[in-house]
Amino acid sequence: MASHLPDRLPGPEGPVTGEPRPLRGISVVVPTLGHPESVRRLLESLRTAAGLLPEGHDAEVIVVDDSSDQDLRGIRQACAETGASYVRGPRRVGAKRNLGAARAKHPLVLFIDSDCVATPSLLLEHLRAHNEEQAPSGRPVAAVAGPTVVEGVDEAAAWRTVKDSVVVNAPWNWPQHYRELWWAATSNLSVRTEALDDIGGFDELTYTVVGGEDVDLGVRLHEAGWATVGHPSAVVRHATDGIDRLGQFRRKLFLYGRACVYNCVRQPQFARWWPNPVTAAALGAGAAVLLPGRSRTAALATTAAGTAAWYAADTRRTARRSGAGWRSAAAATSVDWSYHLGIVREALRRGRPLLAAKRFDYFRADRFAPAPPASTTPSAPSAADAPAPAGPAEERKTV
């Protein structure tokens, strides 16, 4: 295992030791649970991408799954028919990724989600990006992040609504707009096994089955002196058929709100105080019930009115920012507030109520380096690939 590296290594103007070591192999790790049709679609796309690698290059695909019954059989069959390795895995996604990386035969591992589809040049682009061993900051490159493009967003009602959300999707677009990133979504992230070994891989003790482990990994890589770089040409496409109802987004964002508490506990130095509207409503209601008779009724009414006004203000900001109609903006706000609710729920569940008034600072501008203008053009245009909407960037989190 490599030792921890200094905060900043000598830049391009300083001495650089050793010669670049071109990578000729890549291992792809796919954590999954159920949805054999989506897994098959991904594996077929990866087989195509592997077939387009130059002579002398190799790729393997490792599926780590904990499905049961019929889904398990379907996923095993898809693996057998596409040449992928099937590994029975644990429940948590971080643990699945660690298990897959431990089985990898190549020094580079690409993590991709099972509801995504690889573009034909995906594997080649990740290999090509890792041939640059030093980032512009002078740090050694540990990871390469590519964009995740949502397909058919305007034809899927739920996705069309949440593109107006201030919480959903922005990190999927970051590799188009930033040359170096503090952390990146693991829907499309390749990491050198040397760097994974250095920091001990993904944390396997997250509060939720999925959520927060990608942030934690990126932050620890950065703290250990490694760099994550964006590569706009390494594109995966994200299907919309896995989520077709707004309620699914609300549940997913509730889960990620809970994961926010995990990140605050895991790296408390990056947590900050934040006015959570759900926390404010809960405090107001809690104080009101302690009052007698009419005072209680009046206080509850005041709390309800204040919460409604806050929700309306958030909706108005969403509508103004995105140009969406009031109804669509209100629906998008309901997704954002599910995230806030998840924070409160997990903070109380952990017996740490003060965390209900904190947020993890997901976007720290001093740890992101913008890409040159020519590098920000999306490889595959989509409504979901537009630059993140104006507003507090630190409030955006990916699904």
Side-chain angles (χ1 to χ4, degrees):
M1 179 178 292
S3 60
H4 279 354
L5 300 167
D7 183 63
R8 181 182 173 90
L9 299 183
E13 70 281 5
V16 178
T17 60
E19 294 294 327
R21 303 184 304 277
L23 295 170
R24 298 187 178 277
I26 184 169
S27 299
V28 184
V29 173
V30 182
T32 190
L33 170 64
H35 304 288
E37 300 84 2
S38 296
V39 175
R40 177 179 292 276
R41 179 173 55 195
L42 169 61
L43 296 182
E44 290 174 348
S45 70
L46 287 169
R47 181 170 59 179
T48 298
L52 295 177
L53 289 175
E55 185 178 353
H57 292 67
D58 180 56
E60 65 169 348
V61 179
I62 304 168
V63 174
V64 186
D65 173 56
D66 69 322
S67 301
S68 58
D69 303 332
Q70 187 171 349
D71 285 343
L72 184 152
R73 291 191 293 272
I75 292 172
R76 279 185 177 274
Q77 183 176 357
C79 289
E81 293 177 0
T82 57
S85 299
Y86 179 90
V87 177
R88 193 71 178 155
R91 176 67 169 158
R92 278 178 166 74
V93 169
K96 287 177 179 175
R97 294 193 181 110
N98 283 343
L99 179 57
R103 300 288 185 96
K105 68 180 181 181
H106 296 299
L108 181 63
V109 178
L110 170 63
F111 299 106
I112 185 171
D113 288 347
S114 60
D115 52 1
C116 292
V117 176
T119 53
S121 63
L122 177 69
L123 303 183
L124 179 59
E125 291 295 341
H126 273 281
L127 284 167
R128 181 177 293 158
H130 276 276
N131 284 334
E132 295 185 19
E133 295 191 336
Q134 194 172 57
S137 66
R139 290 167 172 252
V141 173
V144 170
T148 300
V149 177
V150 183
E151 287 193 318
V153 66
D154 290 321
E155 286 74 45
W159 286 87
R160 189 167 59 246
T161 297
V162 300
K163 75 177 181 179
D164 300 323
S165 162
V166 298
V167 178
V168 179
N169 287 344
W172 286 353
N173 306 321
W174 285 347
Q176 294 170 1
H177 306 292
Y178 296 98
R179 181 67 183 108
E180 289 191 47
L181 302 91
W182 189 32
W183 65 273
T186 41
S187 56
N188 184 8
L189 182 73
S190 59
V191 189
R192 287 179 177 265
T193 55
E194 175 189 5
L196 285 173
D197 291 342
D198 182 23
I199 64 168
F202 289 89
D203 181 26
E204 299 185 0
L205 298 177
T206 51
Y207 292 173
T208 52
V209 171
V210 59
E213 76 284 341
D214 50 358
V215 182
D216 177 71
L217 181 87
V219 171
R220 286 188 292 118
L221 283 171
H222 189 277
E223 294 298 291
W226 297 94
T228 297
V229 298
H231 191 61
S233 299
V235 179
V236 304
R237 304 183 188 279
H238 191 290
T240 60
D241 52 5
I243 299 180
D244 55 13
R245 296 186 304 277
L246 207 58
Q248 292 172 281
F249 272 113
R250 293 190 186 103
R251 289 191 293 274
K252 185 174 283 287
L253 268 294
F254 178 83
L255 179 79
Y256 282 109
R258 294 176 57 200
C260 176
V261 175
Y262 158 78
N263 287 127
C264 288
V265 172
R266 183 78 167 158
Q267 280 106 13
Q269 69 273 31
F270 301 121
R272 62 181 179 83
W273 296 106
W274 173 74
N276 186 328
V278 178
T279 302
L283 288 174
V289 298
L290 299 177
L291 299 175
R294 293 182 178 178
S295 297
R296 177 191 305 160
T297 301
L300 287 172
T302 300
T303 298
T307 303
W310 197 330
Y311 192 93
D314 280 359
T315 298
R316 185 163 51 251
R317 281 192 291 269
T318 297
R320 186 185 306 121
R321 184 191 66 250
S322 65
W326 182 263
R327 182 175 179 179
S328 178
T333 300
S334 74
V335 174
D336 295 342
W337 277 47
S338 297
Y339 180 77
H340 307 332
L341 180 61
I343 292 175
V344 175
R345 189 265 191 187
E346 193 63 28
L348 296 178
R349 182 173 180 267
R350 296 285 160 182
R352 304 182 64 172
L354 288 179
L355 289 175
K358 285 192 171 185
R359 286 283 298 272
F360 189 82
D361 195 358
Y362 289 106
F363 188 92
R364 296 177 65 89
D366 61 335
R367 285 167 166 76
F368 287 78
S375 300
T376 62
T377 303
S379 300
S382 164
D385 284 328
E394 65 272 18
E395 291 188 3
R396 304 180 194 123
K397 183 70 172 72
T398 184
V399 297

